[in-house]
Amino acid sequence: MKPGGLTFHFHKVSDWAWLTGHIGYFWQLSRTHLYIALVSVAIGLLLALLVGCLAARIPTTHPPILAVTTVLYAWPSLAAFAFLLSITGPSDTTVIIPLSAYAFALLVRSVTEGINNVPDDVRIAATAMGYRSMRRLLTIELPAAVPVIIAGLRVATVSSISLATVASLIGVSTLGQLFVAGENTDFLTEIIAGVVIVAMWALVFDGLLLLSGRMLTPWARRVS
Amino acid sequence: MRRFLLPTAIVVMVAGLAACGSSSKTSTPPTTSSSASTTAPNPSVVIGSANFPENEILADIYADVLKAKGVSVTTKLDIGSREIYYKELQNGTLNVFPEYNGALLDYLVPTATAATTSAVDVALTQALPSNLVALQASSAQDKDSVTVTSAFATAHHLTSISDLKALGTITFGGPPEWKTREEGLLGLERVYGLSIDFKPLDESGPLTIAALNDGTIQAGDIFTTDPSVTKYHFVALADPLGLFAAQNVIPIINKSVATPTITNALNAVSAVLTTADLVQLVGAVVNDHVDPSTAAAQFVQQANLG
Amino acid sequence: MIAAASTSFGGVISYLTSASNWRGSSGFLERILQHFEYSAETLLIAVAIGLPLGLLSGHTGRGGAVLSMLSNASRALPTLGLLTIFAILIGVGLEAAVIPLIFLAVPSILVNTYVGIRDVDRSLVDAARGMGLRPWQVLFRIEIPVALPLIVLGLRTAALQVVSTATIAAYVGLGGLGRYIIDGQASRNFAELGAGGVLVAAFAIATESMFLVCQWFLVSPGVRARARTS
């Protein structure tokens, strides 16, 4: 073998060439990222709807639920990721569990607030029409709470998409990988690309939710 | 019910993402050998890498040479520090990893005293769990170091780490895990008797380099193959007491994938790889923003290993 | 696994209660102070930006849509990314942590203030004008007091997010309580990692409680009765 090693020929890759050449990479990272972020929000929403309805119907459960959700919201996600790392390894699950908990904590407040804010006269009218508690809850109060829930969903989704970047610190390659690799190689372009792409996805889904909200509640055209 | 159209579309989109977005479907698609092979089929290999460019390049090199031999390869890159990825290697989730013999030995046996390449290799083979095997070490080394700026070295007449003791407490910057590593903060304090004010920064990255350059830290852990050493004329202080053992690049593989094809292919890499190669490859990635996989491909091509 | 969980839980408790961990430049007290520094400075600047803009826009009724869009965009920027950018551009320091956190905090304050003022019953505002109050008097004597629950909610939400997210500052070599999380994770020291999480959560809950108490005192009883609690 050649003494002193081999000689290589590399050309400097311009920022633009780098960006255009990595679109497939960005898309691959995006898919993992969005999968993790959106599944977490979906799980959080499901749980929030269940628990929120419970809290609305049985007021005594409200304080303990509030306490639990406050802790879930306050607990730093990075610590949760790192802790779960030793149990579920650097996998999607390790990231989805804390992000779901975070979304849940956020959305429970929206759900309970939404249900509790249904005007009393609507509630009374429904009862007068013969709606029993559960049916009233599901068919009258929950739909009326949709604007508030959607508002909470928008915040939860944007937060989730932003937080999923932190997963790259524990070896799960989301769009945050662009920050880690960019930091490793002092490559500002890569980091900025990451910021722009994450923000773009967040705004896209925020917009989709806003539109969905408008479509689901044709009777309420207020800007939320 | 037209108003449910958009929300339903969103839900379907999410479900679609769920179906195809899971990160378990990682980067490199497995290759299949098209020509009839006379050797027994090789097990599929999962190569991991740590979260710094050089290790990514090495993992890509291993991937390329194995794929050229018809092995089915998946890579899991940029996992994190050894404290994170080693467990995956131990439990078989990863079965090939480009390691550094001295650093791994120090991780497994903090009290190890082996310093030369051969001594470290022997000790490492004994220290590894029964399901892992160390292949042939290459001559290429990338060591942790205690590095200072040339101005600082000249001003205080520093040539070796022992010379730092005369300066009293020094501010030192390195990766966070150095705080508890024997080949790190603990060793510097115990073996060299230094008094250190430690600043956790990054893995020999821009934060550590910038901190060295602007004087925030007086010394830092800069990997010996890092391009910044030549770029900024840094000086890696000599290590007369052998705290930093030899750190040769060495493939660590799981016994379940130790087929002749795989071991020969990886050993062939070790036989060719030199420190000068590493310096060039890392320089290309860090300075020229070349992809680690592109750098790896050129190495494999120039070394006739593909 | 239960045994492992309980030993690590015990490890966290003993790490938290060992006196030596509280003192010194990397002790809990020092890091809590650093964390407070990052959070407080962020919130002060975020309030200075978000509150006046929200009040003005809410009072005049103009610019709401634009501000709402900007707030969304601001919230959409990943804090970790901004942190890395600023750490590389301006070096490791207080500003590198505070600037990204400001992007995170301003939206809550801005939007909640705007909505709070806008939601004030128009008849109250009309009555005030009819009584001869000038615009700024209407703002300070009527609109703000009535909107206070929502304004404080915005502040509270922002504070909570900042305190929790300030942990990421440790990724770029800064201090704060995130240091225990990053270092603990890097060296697989569960006691340190768990202790960091507990401290941040405690800090966040303390912050939330402080704001709830402030809200109780600041908001006039008449408004409080009507206001929604969340």
Side-chain angles (χ1 to χ4, degrees), chain B residues 106-120:
Chain B
D106 180 67
Y107 179 80
L108 295 170
V109 185
T111 50
T113 51
T116 61
T117 301
S118 41
V120 169

PDB file of all heavy atoms in Angstrom, chain B residues 106-120:
ATOM      1  N   ASP B 106     -10.950   2.062  27.799  1.00  0.00           N
ATOM      2  CA  ASP B 106     -11.100   2.931  28.960  1.00  0.00           C
ATOM      3  C   ASP B 106     -12.547   2.972  29.440  1.00  0.00           C
ATOM      4  O   ASP B 106     -12.823   3.064  30.636  1.00  0.00           O
ATOM      5  CB  ASP B 106     -10.633   4.347  28.609  1.00  0.00           C
ATOM      6  CG  ASP B 106     -10.761   5.300  29.774  1.00  0.00           C
ATOM      7  OD1 ASP B 106     -10.032   5.104  30.749  1.00  0.00           O
ATOM      8  OD2 ASP B 106     -11.597   6.216  29.707  1.00  0.00           O
ATOM      9  N   TYR B 107     -13.471   2.882  28.511  1.00  0.00           N
ATOM     10  CA  TYR B 107     -14.885   2.882  28.864  1.00  0.00           C
ATOM     11  C   TYR B 107     -15.259   1.593  29.582  1.00  0.00           C
ATOM     12  O   TYR B 107     -16.015   1.597  30.549  1.00  0.00           O
ATOM     13  CB  TYR B 107     -15.719   3.050  27.583  1.00  0.00           C
ATOM     14  CG  TYR B 107     -17.208   3.036  27.779  1.00  0.00           C
ATOM     15  CD1 TYR B 107     -17.884   4.168  28.229  1.00  0.00           C
ATOM     16  CD2 TYR B 107     -17.956   1.900  27.509  1.00  0.00           C
ATOM     17  CE1 TYR B 107     -19.256   4.165  28.398  1.00  0.00           C
ATOM     18  CE2 TYR B 107     -19.336   1.888  27.675  1.00  0.00           C
ATOM     19  CZ  TYR B 107     -19.974   3.018  28.115  1.00  0.00           C
ATOM     20  OH  TYR B 107     -21.335   3.012  28.278  1.00  0.00           O
ATOM     21  N   LEU B 108     -14.706   0.469  29.081  1.00  0.00           N
ATOM     22  CA  LEU B 108     -15.063  -0.820  29.678  1.00  0.00           C
ATOM     23  C   LEU B 108     -14.304  -1.071  30.977  1.00  0.00           C
ATOM     24  O   LEU B 108     -14.846  -1.628  31.927  1.00  0.00           O
ATOM     25  CB  LEU B 108     -14.760  -1.958  28.677  1.00  0.00           C
ATOM     26  CG  LEU B 108     -15.589  -1.948  27.400  1.00  0.00           C
ATOM     27  CD1 LEU B 108     -15.050  -2.953  26.395  1.00  0.00           C
ATOM     28  CD2 LEU B 108     -17.042  -2.247  27.709  1.00  0.00           C
ATOM     29  N   VAL B 109     -13.032  -0.680  30.988  1.00  0.00           N
ATOM     30  CA  VAL B 109     -12.190  -0.917  32.166  1.00  0.00           C
ATOM     31  C   VAL B 109     -11.506   0.390  32.536  1.00  0.00           C
ATOM     32  O   VAL B 109     -10.394   0.658  32.100  1.00  0.00           O
ATOM     33  CB  VAL B 109     -11.113  -1.990  31.867  1.00  0.00           C
ATOM     34  CG1 VAL B 109     -10.339  -2.315  33.126  1.00  0.00           C
ATOM     35  CG2 VAL B 109     -11.751  -3.238  31.284  1.00  0.00           C
ATOM     36  N   PRO B 110     -12.155   1.233  33.343  1.00  0.00           N
ATOM     37  CA  PRO B 110     -11.583   2.551  33.647  1.00  0.00           C
ATOM     38  C   PRO B 110     -10.192   2.500  34.249  1.00  0.00           C
ATOM     39  O   PRO B 110      -9.435   3.456  34.163  1.00  0.00           O
ATOM     40  CB  PRO B 110     -12.582   3.151  34.641  1.00  0.00           C
ATOM     41  CG  PRO B 110     -13.842   2.417  34.394  1.00  0.00           C
ATOM     42  CD  PRO B 110     -13.458   1.041  33.973  1.00  0.00           C
ATOM     43  N   THR B 111      -9.835   1.361  34.864  1.00  0.00           N
ATOM     44  CA  THR B 111      -8.527   1.294  35.515  1.00  0.00           C
ATOM     45  C   THR B 111      -7.452   0.725  34.595  1.00  0.00           C
ATOM     46  O   THR B 111      -6.330   0.499  35.011  1.00  0.00           O
ATOM     47  CB  THR B 111      -8.598   0.395  36.769  1.00  0.00           C
ATOM     48  OG1 THR B 111      -9.217  -0.843  36.375  1.00  0.00           O
ATOM     49  CG2 THR B 111      -9.420   1.053  37.855  1.00  0.00           C
ATOM     50  N   ALA B 112      -7.781   0.502  33.312  1.00  0.00           N
ATOM     51  CA  ALA B 112      -6.802  -0.108  32.402  1.00  0.00           C
ATOM     52  C   ALA B 112      -5.572   0.772  32.246  1.00  0.00           C
ATOM     53  O   ALA B 112      -5.662   1.993  32.213  1.00  0.00           O
ATOM     54  CB  ALA B 112      -7.442  -0.337  31.038  1.00  0.00           C
ATOM     55  N   THR B 113      -4.401   0.130  32.148  1.00  0.00           N
ATOM     56  CA  THR B 113      -3.164   0.908  32.028  1.00  0.00           C
ATOM     57  C   THR B 113      -2.471   0.694  30.688  1.00  0.00           C
ATOM     58  O   THR B 113      -1.461   1.310  30.422  1.00  0.00           O
ATOM     59  CB  THR B 113      -2.165   0.515  33.142  1.00  0.00           C
ATOM     60  OG1 THR B 113      -2.041  -0.909  33.127  1.00  0.00           O
ATOM     61  CG2 THR B 113      -2.639   1.003  34.491  1.00  0.00           C
ATOM     62  N   ALA B 114      -3.002  -0.164  29.836  1.00  0.00           N
ATOM     63  CA  ALA B 114      -2.363  -0.422  28.541  1.00  0.00           C
ATOM     64  C   ALA B 114      -2.280   0.866  27.753  1.00  0.00           C
ATOM     65  O   ALA B 114      -3.216   1.654  27.717  1.00  0.00           O
ATOM     66  CB  ALA B 114      -3.169  -1.464  27.772  1.00  0.00           C
ATOM     67  N   ALA B 115      -1.139   1.108  27.104  1.00  0.00           N
ATOM     68  CA  ALA B 115      -0.949   2.363  26.381  1.00  0.00           C
ATOM     69  C   ALA B 115      -0.612   2.164  24.907  1.00  0.00           C
ATOM     70  O   ALA B 115      -1.054   2.917  24.065  1.00  0.00           O
ATOM     71  CB  ALA B 115       0.123   3.208  27.043  1.00  0.00           C
ATOM     72  N   THR B 116       0.201   1.134  24.591  1.00  0.00           N
ATOM     73  CA  THR B 116       0.567   0.941  23.193  1.00  0.00           C
ATOM     74  C   THR B 116      -0.546   0.207  22.466  1.00  0.00           C
ATOM     75  O   THR B 116      -1.372  -0.464  23.072  1.00  0.00           O
ATOM     76  CB  THR B 116       1.842   0.095  23.067  1.00  0.00           C
ATOM     77  OG1 THR B 116       1.568  -1.189  23.652  1.00  0.00           O
ATOM     78  CG2 THR B 116       3.001   0.760  23.769  1.00  0.00           C
ATOM     79  N   THR B 117      -0.520   0.306  21.146  1.00  0.00           N
ATOM     80  CA  THR B 117      -1.564  -0.309  20.330  1.00  0.00           C
ATOM     81  C   THR B 117      -1.709  -1.793  20.639  1.00  0.00           C
ATOM     82  O   THR B 117      -2.814  -2.302  20.862  1.00  0.00           O
ATOM     83  CB  THR B 117      -1.268  -0.119  18.834  1.00  0.00           C
ATOM     84  OG1 THR B 117      -1.193   1.274  18.564  1.00  0.00           O
ATOM     85  CG2 THR B 117      -2.350  -0.747  17.989  1.00  0.00           C
ATOM     86  N   SER B 118      -0.582  -2.526  20.655  1.00  0.00           N
ATOM     87  CA  SER B 118      -0.681  -3.981  20.857  1.00  0.00           C
ATOM     88  C   SER B 118      -1.198  -4.311  22.249  1.00  0.00           C
ATOM     89  O   SER B 118      -2.034  -5.208  22.413  1.00  0.00           O
ATOM     90  CB  SER B 118       0.677  -4.657  20.606  1.00  0.00           C
ATOM     91  OG  SER B 118       1.711  -3.871  21.155  1.00  0.00           O
ATOM     92  N   ALA B 119      -0.712  -3.572  23.255  1.00  0.00           N
ATOM     93  CA  ALA B 119      -1.177  -3.838  24.622  1.00  0.00           C
ATOM     94  C   ALA B 119      -2.670  -3.553  24.739  1.00  0.00           C
ATOM     95  O   ALA B 119      -3.422  -4.318  25.361  1.00  0.00           O
ATOM     96  CB  ALA B 119      -0.395  -2.978  25.607  1.00  0.00           C
ATOM     97  N   VAL B 120      -3.080  -2.460  24.118  1.00  0.00           N
ATOM     98  CA  VAL B 120      -4.493  -2.097  24.197  1.00  0.00           C
ATOM     99  C   VAL B 120      -5.349  -3.151  23.510  1.00  0.00           C
ATOM    100  O   VAL B 120      -6.396  -3.554  24.022  1.00  0.00           O
ATOM    101  CB  VAL B 120      -4.722  -0.712  23.552  1.00  0.00           C
ATOM    102  CG1 VAL B 120      -6.203  -0.434  23.389  1.00  0.00           C
ATOM    103  CG2 VAL B 120      -4.080   0.386  24.387  1.00  0.00           C
TER     104      VAL B 120
END
